[in-house]
Amino acid sequence: MPLSKATRLMSLWRALPEPLALPKALGVATLITAAATALGLILVPWLPLQGLSLIYLLVVLIAAIGFGITTGLATSVLSFLALNFFFIPPTYTFTIANPSELVALLAFFAAALVTGSLAGRMREVAHDAKRHAATLERLNDFAAKLSGAVDEETILKALVTQAAATIEGQSVVLMPRGNDLVVVAAMPNSPILDTADIQSADRALRTRDAVYAAARGWPGARFEFRPIATEQGSPCVLGLAPATGSRRVERADDAAVETILKHAAIALDRTRLERDRKAARDEIEEERLRSALLSALSHDLKTPLASILGSVTSLRDRGLDLSEETRADLLAAIEEEASRLAQFVANLLDMTRLDAEGLDLTRDWIDIADCTQLALRRARALYPQRPISFAPTETIPPIRGDATLFEHVVFNVVENALKFSRPAGTVAIALTRKAESADLTITDDGPGIDAEALPHIFDKFYRARRGDQEPPGTGLGLTIARRIVEGHGGTIKAESPVSAHRGTRITIRLPIPTHEPRP
Amino acid sequence: MTRAAKILIVDDEPQIHRFLRPSLIAAGFETMAAKTGAEAVILATRDHPDVIILDLGLPDIDGKEVIAAIRATSAVPIIVLSARDRETEKIAALDLGADDYVDKPFSIGELLARIRSHLRRRHAEAGESLQMAFDIGAIHVDIARHEVSRGGTNVHLTPKEFDLIVLLARHAGRVLTHRHILGEIWGPAHADDTQYLRVFIGQLRQKLEDNPAEPRLILTEPGVGYRLSDDAS
């Protein structure tokens, strides 16, 4: 099978060492020629001159294949001299007596040169192929890594890794930040760059062209820099320094480096686009929230206002003959709607404060049961007709937190439970101690929450069941509650239905600190 | 004594019913209440209210659909309750046949004035289906003789100005949207040329108003249209 033969041949080539530089090549050529001469001297009684020249041709071939074209050619020259000196009469001189032997010798020399250079060339081609295959493999890996990268950092990390492997040296990526260039990625480690390097990098960045390292023995930059030509990403440059003495990146690696840079630039542009798209999405989301806020305002702010203004103007209208009973009801309506408005505005302000400043918890020792009682007192005042039960049996150690905010959370959740179990539902509150936490549960026996709505009830402005008979609210209460609970290191979650397809239970879990407070 | 006028209140908010119902009763009306659009359409066709007060934000069907459904069978005056910032919604409601709108929140006095104005207009229309002359305050419009006078003196109007005042006078007290007026007087192709209308309204005010800078006759409904006041009549 020609294919498998070729593969085997390739693997043989691959096993070969790198071609030798000139001094070493001369040494090896001398040794090989000496060995061939020794063999020739032993075999000379039985071998004609043609046989001896074949031995020399063979070693030229071996030298060229094994050690490269330089060694091959050196061996040809030495073999030519050795054949002449040791075997062509008069022996041990470089003179030749018989003209026919001169022709044979020259023919041998020509054959040796051709053999040596051809075999050496083949070897080089094989070597290049091997390099090329390795480069391609690495590029594939690199491309795969880039396609999975979602942020700039990953891409730059992959880039320096790839570049360092390709040139077998050091690589670094620099990016302008303010007036300085800073290292944003490096392989194998962050190098010490001198002024010349920084100047080179800066020039590469400005001219958008490669800036090469100084020649060996000359003062100047150790790294060469190439710009990463992104279309819209932040500008940056790749610095390269081969580990071997040569200061210049090998020509053979040039194309590979360029390809890597192109890949990286495309990937950087892609992440930038992605980021822009995400920003646009966020903006749309923001817009959606804003319009939700507006509709919440127009619905929940205007209805109480309409009720208040309508009732007040009715009461003041002298043309209307209102009964005493009607007057009392209109006044009650005004009071209720005004307190609803106050609650609404308070929630909005809380939300705005939480959004703008984050959570400012006055870290203090608070008693969960006490806070709950306070919140329930407020809730009972608002809904005097509704049964709200709370009978703590266990003593819960105090937790670190903000008493006012925590009371606010409990009130919000309880009020929500009361609203959504109208008109006559009951709300039960329980406080239990777990291993490392305290669980406060607020359970109502209302109609419960739909499975599809359940995951969203803590979202800003989210309100289940729009429309008919909808209890008024801001859609903010539970969002605020979650912010505050999470600010206390706790969690808040909702279950529904609780039993017999009815009811909702909100569980607030707060961690109990391991250290008890010292009085 | 004529029978009390029946008012149908359509709103999904119980708070609105809570103050509207006793106030309207105290003002001498009879009231009916609907909390959904479907209920409103049934009551409107079955019980023949004299005026309908309709909130556009209903839980089941859009308030505009309610207007269309009622208009299919009845010309009962419909006063829409809407938010100030919802011009397009108001315009759509008026174009579908609503007669008027009141911005929420509103005072009872304002709503009562509108209700009375529409009841009056309705009685007038019932009495004389095609009126040939109108009196609005000091203004007299005589359609047959193509004449308009103010305090007894003739006012010269261009044909378009005359058509405009007749259109407004025929619907005195009602809000007419820009589109409606433009379509009636200049034709459907000009339904969006609000600028035309501004110019002609300005000229009419110059000729008919006591103080054109503070119009009391031809009233602007911001972003929606115009209304000819009928309080002075």
Side-chain angles (χ1 to χ4, degrees):
Chain A
M1 290 257 292
L3 190 73
S4 73
K5 207 185 280 174
T7 321
R8 233 178 303 132
L9 204 63
M10 276 303 291
S11 64
L12 185 71
W13 288 124
R14 236 176 251 170
L16 296 172
E18 293 288 302
L20 298 176
L22 188 61
K24 271 194 190 159
L26 278 177
V28 171
T30 312
L31 281 177
I32 288 176
T33 314
T37 307
L39 189 66
L41 285 174
I42 295 164
L43 294 177
V44 77
W46 301 282
L47 269 185
L49 190 61
Q50 287 87 340
L52 287 168
S53 53
L54 277 180
I55 290 177
Y56 279 108
L57 265 186
L58 191 65
V59 297
V60 168
L61 195 61
I62 290 169
I65 290 171
F67 304 97
I69 192 165
T70 323
T71 319
L73 289 178
T75 313
S76 312
V77 174
L78 289 175
S79 297
F80 163 72
L81 294 175
L83 192 62
N84 181 359
F85 190 77
F86 290 104
F87 300 106
I88 294 180
T91 47
Y92 305 108
T93 65
F94 286 109
T95 51
I96 297 164
N98 192 336
S100 72
E101 281 173 345
L102 176 68
V103 174
L105 185 64
L106 287 178
F108 162 78
F109 187 44
L113 282 179
V114 171
T115 308
S117 62
L118 273 183
R121 182 73 59 205
M122 260 181 82
R123 186 190 194 286
E124 258 171 30
V125 169
H127 185 76
D128 280 355
K130 170 185 147 196
R131 265 188 96 100
H132 199 65
T135 309
L136 270 180
E137 207 165 297
R138 274 201 301 262
L139 265 180
N140 268 339
D141 282 356
F142 180 56
K145 225 178 280 174
L146 285 187
S147 68
V150 289
D151 58 275
E152 211 167 69
E153 202 188 324
T154 321
I155 293 168
L156 294 178
K157 185 100 190 98
L159 170 63
V160 287
T161 312
Q162 180 69 16
T166 303
I167 59 153
E168 287 160 7
Q170 267 183 303
S171 71
V172 61
V173 171
L174 297 176
M175 203 181 260
R177 200 157 290 167
N179 285 330
D180 290 329
L181 277 171
V182 293
V183 174
V184 287
M187 194 75 204
N189 43 36
S190 199
I192 298 155
L193 299 171
D194 57 29
T195 323
D197 286 320
I198 297 289
Q199 279 169 353
S200 290
D202 189 51
R203 200 164 72 219
L205 205 56
R206 273 187 292 106
T207 59
R208 294 182 162 269
D209 212 348
V211 174
Y212 296 107
R216 196 127 79 117
W218 289 87
R222 191 162 61 88
F223 280 83
E224 66 166 72
F225 289 93
R226 293 159 193 249
I228 302 170
T230 55
E231 300 212 339
Q232 44 203 328
S234 30
C236 46
V237 284
L238 173 71
L240 297 169
T244 48
S246 127
R247 281 235 163 150
R248 174 84 167 84
V249 171
E250 271 189 59
R251 185 99 43 90
D253 292 331
D254 240 17
V257 169
E258 284 304 319
T259 311
I260 294 167
L261 280 174
K262 246 176 240 158
H263 272 86
I266 290 167
L268 286 172
D269 278 339
R270 199 198 60 219
T271 53
R272 160 63 63 103
L273 281 176
E274 214 121 286
R275 205 163 48 209
D276 288 354
R277 208 167 37 223
K278 190 180 174 311
R281 256 205 314 272
D282 288 351
E283 210 165 292
I284 290 168
E285 178 66 9
E286 189 94 334
E287 198 52 49
R288 207 184 58 77
L289 275 179
R290 244 199 303 274
S291 74
L293 171 63
L294 268 180
S295 84
L297 282 178
S298 92
H299 185 262
D300 299 329
L301 214 46
K302 275 183 180 152
T303 302
L305 277 176
S307 170
I308 292 168
L309 189 66
S311 303
V312 168
T313 51
S314 297
L315 285 167
R316 289 187 57 168
D317 197 318
R318 292 182 179 280
L320 294 181
D321 182 21
L322 298 168
S323 69
E324 206 43 53
E325 202 184 324
T326 306
R327 290 182 166 274
D329 188 58
L330 289 179
L331 284 170
I334 292 168
E335 189 180 349
E336 283 165 32
E337 295 304 314
S339 44
R340 184 161 293 147
L341 267 185
Q343 179 65 33
F344 183 90
V345 171
N347 272 351
L348 267 184
L349 290 178
D350 276 347
M351 199 68 228
T352 316
R353 216 185 67 203
L354 288 178
D355 273 350
E357 305 162 14
L359 209 51
D360 178 28
L361 291 178
T362 321
R363 289 286 175 182
D364 211 343
W365 291 103
I366 61 169
D367 186 313
I368 300 175
D370 276 359
C371 287
T372 307
Q373 292 288 16
L374 281 173
L376 294 187
R377 199 175 301 163
R378 271 169 69 196
R380 285 187 180 116
L382 211 59
Y383 293 82
Q385 314 295 330
R386 305 285 297 277
I388 304 171
S389 66
F390 177 52
T393 47
E394 292 174 276
T395 357
I396 307 288
I399 62 155
R400 294 294 253 170
D402 183 310
T404 321
L405 284 179
F406 187 69
E407 185 206 317
H408 192 73
V409 168
V410 179
F411 176 76
N412 264 335
V413 175
V414 171
E415 201 212 359
N416 219 56
L418 287 165
K419 270 196 307 213
F420 283 92
S421 59
R422 286 199 306 188
T426 58
V427 174
I429 292 108
L431 180 60
T432 47
R433 183 171 184 173
K434 295 273 157 31
E436 286 169 345
S437 65
D439 281 11
L440 184 70
T441 59
I442 294 101
T443 312
D444 68 59
D445 59 355
I449 301 170
D450 293 344
E452 61 192 73
L454 199 59
H456 301 291
I457 62 164
F458 294 106
D459 293 355
K460 212 190 258 184
F461 299 123
Y462 184 83
R463 300 172 68 184
R465 283 192 288 145
R466 269 255 157 229
D468 194 20
Q469 306 295 306
E470 178 200 357
T474 55
L476 283 175
L478 289 179
T479 312
I480 295 170
R482 183 173 65 178
R483 294 271 177 99
I484 296 174
V485 169
E486 284 173 356
H488 282 82
T491 57
I492 183 166
K493 63 181 174 59
E495 312 156 57
S496 182
V498 179
S499 64
H501 310 295
R502 285 187 73 79
T504 305
R505 174 178 296 140
I506 305 280
T507 304
I508 299 170
R509 173 167 293 180
L510 291 165
I512 294 176
T514 39
H515 306 292
E516 296 271 325
R518 297 211 178 83
Chain B
M1 181 100 190
T2 52
R3 69 168 180 90
K6 266 190 290 186
I7 317 260
L8 171 60
I9 307 166
V10 189
D11 201 312
D12 65 322
E13 306 284 352
Q15 299 101 301
I16 304 294
H17 289 281
R18 189 174 175 183
F19 76 86
L20 264 188
R21 207 182 57 82
S23 304
L24 291 182
I25 289 171
F29 298 112
E30 220 175 273
T31 64
M32 294 186 281
K35 290 199 168 187
T36 63
E39 217 181 315
V41 175
I42 292 169
L43 286 177
T45 44
R46 196 188 63 195
D47 293 354
H48 304 292
D50 296 294
V51 171
I52 297 175
I53 297 169
L54 173 70
D55 183 64
L56 287 180
L58 292 173
D60 56 341
I61 50 175
D62 193 293
K64 294 192 283 293
E65 286 177 44
V66 177
I67 297 171
I70 292 172
R71 273 290 166 267
T73 61
S74 158
V76 55
I78 300 175
I79 302 172
V80 163
L81 298 182
S82 171
R84 189 179 305 280
D85 51 338
R86 299 264 177 111
E87 281 97 359
T88 46
E89 197 181 72
K90 283 185 279 203
I91 291 168
L94 291 168
D95 282 342
L96 277 167
D99 296 84
D100 207 343
Y101 69 87
V102 176
D103 285 326
K104 264 186 182 182
F106 53 87
S107 74
I108 281 291
E110 190 184 344
L111 182 68
L112 287 174
R114 298 288 172 86
I115 292 172
R116 287 181 182 129
S117 145
H118 286 285
L119 283 172
R120 258 202 318 274
R121 183 175 61 76
R122 215 172 168 225
H123 288 308
E125 277 174 10
E128 201 174 342
S129 59
L130 198 60
Q131 218 175 326
M132 292 309 284
F134 302 92
D135 283 295
I136 312 114
I139 309 297
H140 179 77
V141 181
D142 189 327
I143 298 173
R145 304 171 71 162
H146 225 274
E147 273 177 7
V148 175
S149 61
R150 179 173 161 220
T153 27
N154 258 15
V155 179
H156 175 74
L157 293 184
T158 66
K160 285 281 183 231
E161 286 167 4
F162 184 77
D163 291 348
L164 188 54
I165 191 70
V166 170
L167 180 69
L168 288 169
R170 276 199 196 285
H171 301 95
R174 279 184 65 178
V175 179
L176 298 181
T177 63
H178 297 134
R179 279 185 78 83
H180 181 105
I181 302 173
L182 284 161
E184 287 278 326
I185 305 216
W186 281 272
H190 296 280
D192 291 319
D193 298 339
T194 321
Q195 207 51 43
Y196 272 19
L197 189 53
R198 293 233 164 84
V199 173
F200 278 85
I201 291 284
Q203 288 168 1
L204 265 186
R205 280 174 175 160
Q206 288 292 338
K207 292 177 180 176
L208 300 179
E209 295 274 2
D210 290 335
N211 177 6
E214 266 179 60
R216 305 175 65 98
L217 193 64
I218 303 168
L219 306 176
T220 301
E221 296 291 338
V224 177
Y226 297 97
R227 173 215 306 273
L228 191 70
S229 163
D230 64 347
D231 287 347
S233 61

